[in-house]
């Protein structure tokens, strides 16, 4: 009965880019059901199998294996993201698995992104932050959208997200994103790429981005932020504008500070 109840409440769970006012009793019921699934592995296991069965029956052509339609860890993650709605999890998983296949995520490698990685515009830090999160760093002043190929930028982005996630310690689920905005100018502005980045996290890596730091944002960045902020909706709440000093003192130890934040 609990499963049917949650399915009936699917309409009460709006996607990221809408703002619907929910009835208090609907919110309470959804929260209770999610807590019940999280506390009782048997309940979540049943839903995982239900999603797996629906994917096999309705989307048999999707690949199997890691990050495929029968990947139970991936299925559980999307169920959590969709508040244990089977229908919503199936829909989002189908889109994500197809995207991974079409984008060629499994084919990405150090060699495949080498030329763009050598620009130094983005990298995964060697150390975790103080909260044991892998760290993805973007150096905005080295990004030139008028010169660099957008698809190559996107490939580097996805490769680094995958690399950061592969460094997650046991029991940890999210990564930290840092945008080094020192030296940023209008020639570095790229609304298209920022939109791609946050869409990738929402649709294909849900709830993997724990926090985003915008470090030493110059005046030139402010109009860009005013344009992009409405597009991010709830993701905007993850963004924290801060100084280099904050990064050094609050997110790393002396031994783990990224080299470009030491000076």
């Amino acid at each position: 009965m609990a499963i049917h109840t949650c399915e009936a409440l699917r309409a009460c769970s709006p996607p990221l880019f809408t703002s619907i006012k929910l009835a208090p009793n609907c919110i309470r019921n959804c929260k209770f059901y999610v807590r019940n699934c999280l506390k009782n592995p048997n309940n979540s296991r049943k839903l995982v199998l239900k999603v797996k069965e629906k994917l096999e029956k309705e989307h048999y052509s999707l690949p199997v294996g890691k990050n495929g339609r029968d990947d139970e860890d991936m299925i559980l993650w999307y169920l959590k993201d969709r508040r244990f709605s089977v229908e919503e999890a199936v829909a989002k998983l189908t889109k994500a698995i197809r995207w991974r296949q079409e984008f060629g995520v499994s084919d990405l490698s150090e060699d495949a992104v080498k030329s763009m990685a050598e620009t130094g515009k983005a990298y995964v830090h060697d150390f975790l932050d103080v909260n044991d999160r892998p760290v993805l760093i973007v150096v905005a002043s080295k990004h030139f959208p008028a010169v660099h190929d957008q698809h190559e930028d996107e490939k580097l982005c996805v490769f680094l997200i995958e690399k950061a996630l592969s460094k997650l310690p046991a029991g940890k689920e999210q990564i930290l994103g840092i945008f080094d905005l020192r030296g940023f100018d209008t020639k570095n502005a790229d609304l298209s790429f920022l939109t791609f980045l946050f869409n990738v996290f929402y649709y294909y890596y849900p709830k993997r981005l724990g926090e985003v730091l915008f470090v030493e944002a110059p005046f030139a960045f402010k109009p860009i932020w005013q344009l992009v902020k409405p597009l991010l909706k709830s993701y905007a709440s993850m963004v924290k504008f801060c100084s280099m000093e904050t990064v050094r003192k609050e997110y790393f130890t002396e031994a783990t500070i990224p080299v470009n934040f030491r000076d």
Side-chain angles (χ1 to χ4, degrees):
M1 178 163 178
I3 294 176
H4 295 306
T5 301
C6 194
E7 289 297 311
L9 291 170
R10 282 190 297 113
C12 301
S13 304
L16 178 67
F17 299 107
T18 60
S19 54
I20 302 173
K21 195 170 184 179
L22 306 181
N25 64 321
C26 177
I27 295 173
R28 285 195 299 271
N29 288 340
C30 284
K31 286 183 177 179
F32 171 78
Y33 183 72
V34 170
R35 285 197 301 269
N36 189 37
C37 286
L38 290 172
K39 289 180 179 179
N40 191 334
N42 290 330
N43 286 345
S44 57
R45 174 66 178 162
K46 289 177 183 177
L47 293 179
V48 165
L49 293 177
K50 188 171 182 179
V51 169
K52 190 174 177 180
E53 180 182 358
K54 284 180 70 67
L55 286 171
E56 182 178 7
K57 287 183 178 179
E58 300 171 13
H59 305 282
Y60 184 78
S61 62
L62 290 176
V64 295
K66 185 173 175 58
N67 296 311
R69 61 174 170 79
D70 62 345
D71 185 334
E72 295 189 3
D73 289 335
M74 187 179 185
I75 290 172
L76 179 58
W77 186 261
Y78 275 74
L79 275 167
K80 291 177 180 178
D81 173 62
R82 294 293 83 201
R83 293 169 290 277
F84 291 94
S85 164
V86 169
E87 294 299 329
E88 289 188 16
V90 167
K92 197 165 183 179
L93 269 165
T94 301
K95 182 174 182 176
I97 296 170
R98 281 182 178 151
W99 170 80
R100 293 183 66 90
Q101 189 175 33
E102 293 168 2
F103 194 88
V105 177
S106 62
D107 297 326
L108 295 177
S109 64
E110 296 281 357
D111 286 339
V113 300
K114 183 179 180 181
S115 62
M116 203 57 69
E118 287 178 344
T119 66
K121 66 167 65 181
Y123 63 94
V124 175
H125 186 40
D126 291 334
F127 299 98
L128 306 177
D129 75 348
V130 294
N131 296 307
D132 289 333
R133 296 177 297 190
V135 182
L136 176 54
I137 298 175
V138 176
V139 183
S141 64
K142 295 183 179 182
H143 178 65
F144 299 100
V147 177
H148 299 157
D149 181 86
Q150 182 174 335
H151 184 60
E152 293 302 312
D153 279 334
E154 292 173 356
K155 284 167 59 178
L156 176 63
C157 171
V158 173
F159 173 76
L160 292 178
I161 291 172
E162 290 278 323
K163 183 176 180 178
L165 292 175
S166 73
K167 293 167 67 73
L168 281 169
K172 297 295 180 178
E173 300 176 332
Q174 296 182 319
I175 67 176
L176 170 68
I178 301 180
F179 284 77
D180 182 354
L181 295 173
R182 289 172 297 166
F184 175 89
D185 200 352
T186 52
K187 64 181 178 293
N188 308 121
D190 193 347
L191 292 178
S192 177
F193 180 74
L194 273 177
T195 302
F196 168 81
L197 176 62
F198 282 96
N199 278 342
V200 161
F201 272 110
Y202 173 67
Y203 290 109
Y204 313 129
Y205 300 96
K207 289 185 168 56
R208 290 301 193 183
L209 188 60
E211 189 176 7
V212 179
L213 305 182
F214 282 175
V215 184
E216 302 289 356
F219 181 80
F221 182 75
K222 291 183 179 179
I224 305 300
W225 175 242
Q226 292 306 314
L227 287 173
V228 76
K229 185 178 179 180
L231 302 176
L232 305 184
K233 298 295 184 181
S234 63
Y235 266 105
S237 66
M238 295 183 182
V239 174
K240 176 180 178 180
F241 286 82
C242 65
S243 65
M244 282 179 54
E245 190 70 10
T246 298
V247 173
R248 288 194 291 255
K249 290 187 174 181
E250 297 184 14
Y251 291 88
F252 298 96
T253 66
E254 186 61 34
T256 63
I257 299 172
V259 173
N260 50 317
F261 291 120
R262 288 186 177 275
D263 300 324

